[in-house]
């Protein structure tokens, strides 16, 4: 593909979203990335939250956390470049110890992953002995290593049900846990230090981590938009509060939301999620109107740019490493999740 081919493809999709002069510069960057990617036998995985010019030019695969974990597990390339955040790149490394996994920015973290440590999980296990631990993939490798099984937003309730255990520890997202509790009919608690442990009336034990993007959406946001556009279909990511999810028409992972819009015939949608994803869905559905509260960009996903991805390929940076003992334990939890689906 020439620079002109890439530019033409981008312009077709993004003419109403990215200014034309910017598209020209980004097409040149994308051309160089794709050339180097082939030369270095690399694969690029792009999360649905990547900025539109990147999302529509360089990834070999785009998707939600679960889909990208699957692609990471299947690849035969030597280098995996993860255009996403650190916990996602770590998951790729956990599944591919012999490959080089690169994250284009060292600053691409996550407020949920930062909300809990491996020691926190060990303390909870000591407080609730024998209770299985499910951790959201939005955690670091040492936290995954303390878990029985991981989950993503697209399979959280299915993973909890698959354990066949009355009581489950579910970490670290408070809102996802509350949404899972509602879906599975379990009563949830958030124990503090000194909480007596087993024996109370609860079946889910949560943690008060939050996504700094999704916690900002409110029921009032939905009501205001519905007042103005009564026909709007509202979609919310399950990291939003249960009240927001309850006031929405659909809740699902980033890919589930994208699929919902693609397959639905409604004319107008409100996406309560990260705002580049709104741009990407709008670009793929030009006949449908996306109403977005588009002031909420994930500051971590925003770190990943075409410029940094090119530097990552040129300089082989930033290499993701996971200590082998941690990796082996974390791999069990991730592979168990992938097997559940
Ligand atoms: P998905 O697994 O739905 O893609 O979500 C990842 C994420 O970080 C959402 O904030
Ligand atoms: Fe983490 Fe939220 Fe950003 Fe997703 S959107 S990476 S959960 S901070």
């Amino acid at each position: 593909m020439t620079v002109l081919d890439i530019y033409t493809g981008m312009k077709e999709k993004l003419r109403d979203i990215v200014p034309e002069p910017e598209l020209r510069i980004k097409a040149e960057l994308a051309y160089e990335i794709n050339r180097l990617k082939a030369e270095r036998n690399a694969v690029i995985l792009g999360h649905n939250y990547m900025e539109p010019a990147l999302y529509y030019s360089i990834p070999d695969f785009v998707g939600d956390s679960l889909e990208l974990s699957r692609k990471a597990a299947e690849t035969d390339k030597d280098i995996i470049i993860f255009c996403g955040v650190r916990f996602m790149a770590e998951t790729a490394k956990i599944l591919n110890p012999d490959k080089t996994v690169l994250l284009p920015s060292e600053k691409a973290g996550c407020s949920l992953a930062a909300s809990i440590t491996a020691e926190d999980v060990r303390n909870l296990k000591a407080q609730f002995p024998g209770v299985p631990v499910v951790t959201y993939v939005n955690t670091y490798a040492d936290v995954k290593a303390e878990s029985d099984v991981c989950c993503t937003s697209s399979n959280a309730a299915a993973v909890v049900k698959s354990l066949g255990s009355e009581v489950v520890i579910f970490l670290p997202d408070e809102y996802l846990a509350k949404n899972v509790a509602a879906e599975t009919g379990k009563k949830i608690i958030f124990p503090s230090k000194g909480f007596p442990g087993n024996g109370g009336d609860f079946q889910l034990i949560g943690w008060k981590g939050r996504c700094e993007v999704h916690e900002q959406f409110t029921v009032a946001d939905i009501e205001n938009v519905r007042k103005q556009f009564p026909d709007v279909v509202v979609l919310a990511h399950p990291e939003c509060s249960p009240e927001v999810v309850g006031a929405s028409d659909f809740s699902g992972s980033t890919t589930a939301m994208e699929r919902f819009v693609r397959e639905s015939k409604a004319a107008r949608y409100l996406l309560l999620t990260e705002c580049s994803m709104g741009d990407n869905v709008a670009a793929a559905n030009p006949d449908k109107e996306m109403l977005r509260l588009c002031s909420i960009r994930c500051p971590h996903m925003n770190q990943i740019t075409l410029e940094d991805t090119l530097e990552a390929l040129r300089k082989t940076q930033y290499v993701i490493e996971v200590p082998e003992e941690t990796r082996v334990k974390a791999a069990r939890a991730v592979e168990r999740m992938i097997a559940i689906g």
Side-chain angles (χ1 to χ4, degrees), residues 265-326:
K265 297 219 175 338
R268 218 175 247 138
Y269 305 82
L270 174 68
L271 290 179
L272 297 179
T273 192
E274 206 281 336
C275 73
S276 276
M277 157 118 182
D279 286 337
N280 294 335
V281 174
N285 295 274
D287 51 329
K288 296 170 182 167
E289 190 183 351
M290 299 304 134
L291 307 170
R292 298 184 301 278
L293 300 177
C294 209
S295 56
I296 311 184
R297 176 87 172 103
C298 171
H300 309 286
M301 293 284 182
N302 199 31
Q303 295 293 332
I304 307 296
T305 60
L306 284 165
E307 287 82 350
D308 285 346
T309 307
L310 182 54
E311 284 307 285
L313 266 166
R314 281 184 176 148
K315 298 182 180 159
T316 316
Q317 69 184 20
Y318 294 91
V319 178
I320 298 292
E321 301 287 3
V322 176
E324 185 59 9
E325 200 186 323
T326 305

Side-chain angles (χ1 to χ4, degrees), residues 49 85 87 109-112 138 211-214 239 274 298-301:
Y49 288 167
V85 290
F87 74 79
C110 169
S111 65
L112 274 175
N138 298 33
C211 163
E212 67 191 273
V213 174
H214 292 97
E239 289 167 14
E274 206 281 336
C298 171
H300 309 286
M301 293 284 182

